[in-house]
């Protein structure tokens, strides 16, 4: 299980994957894959996109988008305060 997958699972708590899907707008099947951290088709590690992390944070406001981005490896700890991060080649300020 990936670090971001572990965090997403922890934040989801007792909610079912279907409930989490309703809250976030992310397919419950995809949430399951993200929590496991492995793409079942290829066996390769899977990393949620920044847009997926944003949707998850909107559905579960107990975690910030920036924290999810940090855990997923998109930003460094010291970049959080500056609100600068790499969204797949696009710097957001």
């Amino acid at each position: 299980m990936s670090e971001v997958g572990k965090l997403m699972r922890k934040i989801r708590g007792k909610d079912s994957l279907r409930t989490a899907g309703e809250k976030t707008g992310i397919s419950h099947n995809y949430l399951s894959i993200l929590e496991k951290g492995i793409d079942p088709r290829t066996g390769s590690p899977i990393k949620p996109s920044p847009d997926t992390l944003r949707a998850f944070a909107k559905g579960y406001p107990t975690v910030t988008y920036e924290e999810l981005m940090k855990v997923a490896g998109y930003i460094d700890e010291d970049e959080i305060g500056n609100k600068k991060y790499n969204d797949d080649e696009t710097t957001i300020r």
Side-chain angles (χ1 to χ4, degrees), residues 50-78:
D51 287 339
T52 298
L53 297 174
R54 181 175 285 121
F56 190 86
K58 284 181 181 179
Y60 287 94
T62 57
V63 66
T64 65
Y65 172 61
E66 288 84 5
E67 180 66 18
L68 290 170
M69 291 287 285
K70 181 181 85 105
V71 173
Y74 287 107
I75 58 174
D76 293 328
E77 180 78 31
D78 59 333

Side-chain angles (χ1 to χ4, degrees), residues 7-82:
L7 179 59
M8 292 172 82
R9 174 64 188 99
K10 181 179 177 182
I11 297 301
R12 180 168 63 87
K14 293 184 180 183
D15 284 352
S16 70
L17 285 166
R18 288 187 189 274
T19 299
E22 291 169 5
K23 286 182 173 184
T24 63
I26 303 167
S27 151
H28 67 278
N29 289 325
Y30 187 55
L31 284 171
S32 176
I33 292 168
L34 291 175
E35 287 182 4
K36 292 174 185 168
I38 302 292
D39 185 329
R41 297 169 294 176
T42 64
S44 301
I46 191 164
K47 183 174 173 180
S49 71
D51 287 339
T52 298
L53 297 174
R54 181 175 285 121
F56 190 86
K58 284 181 181 179
Y60 287 94
T62 57
V63 66
T64 65
Y65 172 61
E66 288 84 5
E67 180 66 18
L68 290 170
M69 291 287 285
K70 181 181 85 105
V71 173
Y74 287 107
I75 58 174
D76 293 328
E77 180 78 31
D78 59 333
E79 293 176 326
I80 292 175
N82 296 328

